Amino acid sequence: MQYQKILSTQIASKHLILFSLIIFLFLHVACAQQQSTSISFSEIWVWEYEDTKGNKREMAIYREPKLNYWLLTPDDANFRDKDEMTLWFILKPNGEVIQAFQDAEMNNLAVIKHQLSLKKITKLPKSWKPSGNVKSFGNTEYGFSTFSGKEYKIKYEKSDEKTSLFIGRSNADFSILALFNELNIEAKLPIQFPKNIPKNNITLLEHTVSSNFSLKYQYKYTTPTNYDIKYE
């Protein structure tokens, strides 16, 4: 009888341990699922630009319109030559930038967070002079409306540079895109948008010329897409 009691106690103890282990694993998985973030980017925005050799190239970036998040990937946004390790960047309208790369030692996805300081700008610079010219940009073939851009001229006092910009209005927030290249990281966008304009102004075309160089880029179109990102 005493043996049966000991045996029953041992079996109950094993069941308790097994039950505790199952609960622990369940909570661990549930906690991991809660910490996991999944974002689906449904738009891709494309600009065309000329590189330093005068070749025409494209910069394509993804957008999640409800959250107003941007996604930069090295091949689509064309910064692979400057950063071979990064898998993607997520840019949030509050200035937060999430950088993901493959951890070679742990063989998993590693995430780093950066923070950009955004300034509230309500007006275009006074030095920008409207020319009165208006031009349409984009392509309605993909289901998105075109943008109407107003031209502004800029002359610089201490150089022979002259700039022509076409600026339009958009629901997208471009302020963090304009500041991205200020991060102290290897990755740099091939296009540097103006930093001193209101966040919902889209730079549809910029053409700067001087005796030493020429810079030109232009918005091409927006098209639907489906690009899913998941991270913890």
Side-chain angles (χ1 to χ4, degrees):
M1 183 67 67
Q2 185 67 24
Y3 173 77
Q4 289 179 342
K5 287 183 178 179
I6 295 173
L7 183 60
S8 298
T9 301
Q10 290 177 341
I11 292 174
S13 178
K14 289 181 179 179
H15 284 172
L16 181 61
I17 293 172
L18 180 60
F19 179 74
S20 299
L21 180 61
I22 292 172
I23 292 297
F24 172 78
L25 291 174
F26 174 79
L27 291 175
H28 179 73
V29 172
C31 182
Q33 289 177 342
Q34 288 178 355
Q35 293 177 350
S36 179
T37 300
S38 180
I39 306 173
S40 181
F41 292 84
S42 60
E43 299 174 359
I44 187 165
W45 295 54
V46 181
W47 279 261
E48 183 179 73
Y49 68 96
E50 292 181 1
D51 63 17
T52 54
K53 297 180 180 180
N55 300 316
K56 288 187 177 181
R57 305 186 68 182
E58 289 186 350
M59 180 185 79
I61 54 180
Y62 300 87
R63 180 172 177 255
E64 201 292 300
K66 293 181 180 178
L67 298 172
N68 229 328
Y69 287 5
W70 295 101
L71 171 69
L72 310 179
T73 60
D75 293 316
D76 295 311
N78 247 328
F79 59 82
R80 173 70 71 185
D81 58 334
K82 299 182 183 300
D83 184 347
E84 297 181 354
M85 300 299 294
T86 299
L87 299 176
W88 48 258
F89 291 94
I90 292 177
L91 282 58
K92 299 183 179 181
N94 64 356
E96 184 180 70
V97 177
I98 301 174
Q99 179 183 12
F101 60 93
Q102 198 71 27
D103 189 328
E105 295 182 0
M106 301 297 293
N107 196 29
N108 60 5
L109 189 70
V111 171
I112 299 175
K113 293 184 179 181
H114 310 274
Q115 186 66 43
L116 286 166
S117 179
L118 304 179
K119 295 180 180 180
K120 187 176 181 180
I121 301 172
T122 58
K123 296 180 180 180
L124 295 174
K126 292 182 179 180
S127 59
W128 293 20
K129 305 301 180 183
S131 70
N133 294 332
V134 178
K135 188 177 178 180
S136 180
F137 296 83
N139 191 334
T140 58
E141 179 182 349
Y142 305 109
F144 287 83
S145 301
T146 58
F147 290 101
S148 177
K150 296 181 180 180
E151 185 184 31
Y152 294 85
K153 299 282 190 178
I154 309 172
K155 292 183 179 180
Y156 305 92
E157 294 181 358
K158 297 182 179 181
S159 74
D160 64 345
E161 290 182 27
K162 294 181 181 180
T163 298
S164 170
L165 293 132
F166 280 85
I167 305 295
R169 293 282 298 171
S170 172
N171 291 328
D173 184 346
F174 291 91
S175 54
I176 192 168
L177 278 174
L179 293 173
F180 178 79
N181 284 0
E182 292 189 355
L183 289 173
N184 187 24
I185 55 177
E186 293 182 352
K188 302 295 178 187
L189 290 175
I191 292 175
Q192 178 63 66
F193 295 111
K195 298 178 287 185
N196 54 346
I197 64 176
K199 64 180 183 179
N200 292 117
N201 280 258
I202 173 175
T203 306
L204 299 163
L205 184 149
E206 178 179 349
H207 189 196
T208 298
V209 293
S210 76
S211 57
N212 298 320
F213 74 95
S214 174
L215 178 153
K216 187 176 183 180
Y217 62 85
Q218 177 176 326
Y219 168 80
K220 289 189 70 177
Y221 59 83
T222 302
T223 183
T225 189
N226 187 16
Y227 200 116
D228 295 326
I229 292 292
K230 188 173 183 179
Y231 65 96
E232 295 181 1

